[in-house]
Amino acid sequence: MNDDELIQESLSGDRAAYGKLVLNYQDRLFNTMIRVVGNAEDAQDVVQEAFLQAFLRLSTFRQTSRFYTWLYRIAFNIALGIRRKRKPQVSLGGIWNDRGEEPLGKADSPLEQVGTEEMSEILRSTINRLEEEYQSVIVLREMEGFSYEEISQILDLPVGTVRSRLHRARNILRDALKKHERHF
């Protein structure tokens, strides 16, 4: 069954159909929310709350977007609430390192590995210092691969605003990397 069919079955009272939706998206949503909130415990809380809220509001889902986009928006809003309550923020860099992402190529020499690792850390720390409005569009576009339209729906912003924030965020990142370029 596809998402639309599972949603219709869920709305008809079939809880197992909603369980299939949860199974289809729980890991992807969890991995995404770790990047947003900064730790597994909060990410797990966000995912659970998002699925509960989605279940309670399933009748309001207007199938004009994908189910995951709608679910992600719910989760993202919950995650932002958690982030606002909590200071200081956990570094995204620590999460990436802990999860073993951004593997280096087999042909990298030790010197190239150090340069790549330093550049990745500079990029991660710069992303962490971005204002929330810029950080959210960078994470959604560059790390999660959402389209401009999907980001617009998730953040409830016009597509033009998404494009301008993304442009500004990329410029900030580019400038930060240029400052460190001579070290590599």
Side-chain angles (χ1 to χ4, degrees):
M1 295 179 89
N2 66 34
D3 286 355
D4 292 337
E5 294 168 334
L6 290 171
I7 290 166
Q8 290 307 317
E9 291 294 316
S10 298
L11 290 171
S12 298
D14 183 354
R15 291 185 182 225
Y18 191 74
K20 289 178 184 176
L21 284 169
V22 171
L23 287 174
N24 288 345
Y25 294 111
Q26 66 185 359
D27 291 342
R28 180 178 177 195
L29 189 61
F30 175 77
N31 290 331
T32 301
M33 289 301 112
I34 282 180
R35 292 179 175 160
V36 176
V37 296
N39 66 67
E41 185 176 313
D42 285 344
Q44 188 173 23
D45 291 344
V46 168
V47 169
Q48 288 176 354
E49 181 66 20
F51 277 113
L52 175 63
Q53 291 299 317
F55 180 76
L56 295 173
R57 294 191 260 169
L58 194 56
S59 64
T60 67
F61 176 58
R62 296 180 318 249
Q63 301 180 343
T64 56
S65 65
R66 293 182 300 152
F67 174 75
Y68 183 74
T69 302
W70 181 72
L71 175 66
Y72 186 94
R73 180 174 181 180
I74 293 169
F76 192 79
N77 288 334
I78 294 167
L80 288 179
I82 287 175
R83 282 182 47 185
R84 287 183 185 121
K85 290 178 187 175
R86 176 175 33 92
K87 302 277 183 191
Q89 295 180 5
V90 175
S91 165
L92 287 175
I95 296 159
W96 285 332
N97 288 336
D98 292 345
R99 293 191 51 211
E101 294 190 21
E102 297 182 339
L104 298 172
K106 294 178 183 174
D108 290 341
S109 71
L111 185 57
E112 289 170 326
Q113 288 178 2
V114 169
T116 302
E117 289 169 6
E118 287 179 26
M119 186 60 79
S120 294
E121 182 54 38
I122 290 165
L123 183 59
R124 284 188 294 265
S125 71
T126 303
I127 290 171
N128 287 335
R129 288 192 310 270
L130 287 174
E131 292 178 35
E132 188 175 291
E133 63 187 18
Y134 299 126
Q135 188 181 46
S136 61
V137 294
I138 281 288
V139 168
L140 291 170
R141 178 70 178 164
E142 303 300 340
M143 296 176 190
E144 297 305 321
F146 282 107
S147 70
Y148 294 115
E149 291 76 17
E150 290 170 321
I151 296 169
S152 170
Q153 290 174 353
I154 290 167
L155 298 178
D156 196 24
L157 296 170
V159 173
T161 302
V162 170
R163 289 181 188 277
S164 67
R165 286 183 183 179
L166 189 56
H167 177 75
R168 177 72 178 128
R170 286 175 175 158
N171 284 340
I172 292 168
L173 294 174
R174 185 189 67 240
D175 292 345
L177 293 175
K178 279 185 180 179
K179 290 178 186 176
H180 298 283
E181 194 175 78
R182 63 177 93 59
H183 300 329
F184 301 102

